[in-house]
Amino acid sequence: MTVELTTSRDVMAELTRHRLSSFCVESQRFVDAGGDIQFIRPENIRPGTEAFEIWREHMLACERAYARLRVLGMPPQDARKVLPNSTATRIVMKANLREWRHIFALRTAPGVYPEMRALMGALLKQAKAHIPVVFDDLVSPD
């Protein structure tokens, strides 16, 4: 099963630890993130809270710093250093069905990082809809 996901850089780093999978990750080195950079809000930071405002201000500051460095002629591979783990990235992930069952069991369990759990929970629901005979016995997170 092959899927394309959009997630934060830190969750992408966790996903790539599944060694029996293969990955194609969007490059920050060669892809200019110019314009509006997309950020993934951490699940535990709720809009309307002080924590959200602090996070949002920091993301905007990082986006401005990246844009200024690019205007100064810095290549994307150097300017990307100011981008945080919340920066959205696209990843194509491929694994056999046995490995996907293993990934879902690990990454949807209680206590898993909330962003990972939400991402894998949504993906598990889609997998159940498309291949129920393989995934129906797995429990989706709330």
Side-chain angles (χ1 to χ4, degrees):
M1 183 170 82
T2 303
V3 298
E4 181 177 346
L5 304 166
T6 299
T7 191
S8 60
R9 298 294 290 186
D10 56 335
V11 168
M12 178 272 304
E14 285 185 35
L15 280 174
T16 58
R17 299 303 174 254
H18 291 282
R19 301 291 185 220
L20 298 179
S21 306
S22 60
F23 306 93
C24 182
V25 179
E26 180 179 32
S27 171
Q28 282 186 331
R29 180 176 180 199
F30 298 110
V31 176
D32 186 353
D36 291 331
I37 298 172
Q38 182 184 2
F39 298 105
I40 305 293
R41 177 184 52 83
E43 291 282 320
N44 289 331
I45 296 181
R46 300 282 177 221
T49 65
E50 183 179 1
F52 175 79
E53 289 307 315
I54 292 168
W55 175 81
R56 184 177 161 279
E57 289 171 18
H58 184 67
M59 296 306 104
L60 293 172
C62 291
E63 185 174 37
R64 285 191 301 272
Y66 180 89
R68 288 193 345 239
L69 291 171
R70 292 295 291 130
V71 166
L72 292 172
M74 188 172 284
Q77 66 188 20
D78 294 323
R80 69 182 170 167
K81 300 292 188 178
V82 299
L83 297 176
N85 276 340
S86 287
T87 304
T89 191
R90 289 179 303 165
I91 179 172
V92 176
M93 183 174 176
K94 180 179 181 179
N96 66 39
L97 297 178
R98 182 182 301 156
E99 180 64 6
W100 276 113
R101 286 183 55 82
H102 176 69
I103 291 166
F104 288 140
L106 290 176
R107 301 300 186 166
T108 61
V112 170
Y113 182 60
E115 185 183 332
M116 175 68 79
R117 192 165 192 250
L119 181 69
M120 288 294 110
L123 185 56
L124 176 55
K125 286 178 186 174
Q126 291 180 18
K128 283 182 172 192
H130 291 318
I131 317 171
V133 69
V134 175
F135 298 110
D136 261 355
D137 64 314
L138 297 177
V139 178
S140 298
D142 300 357

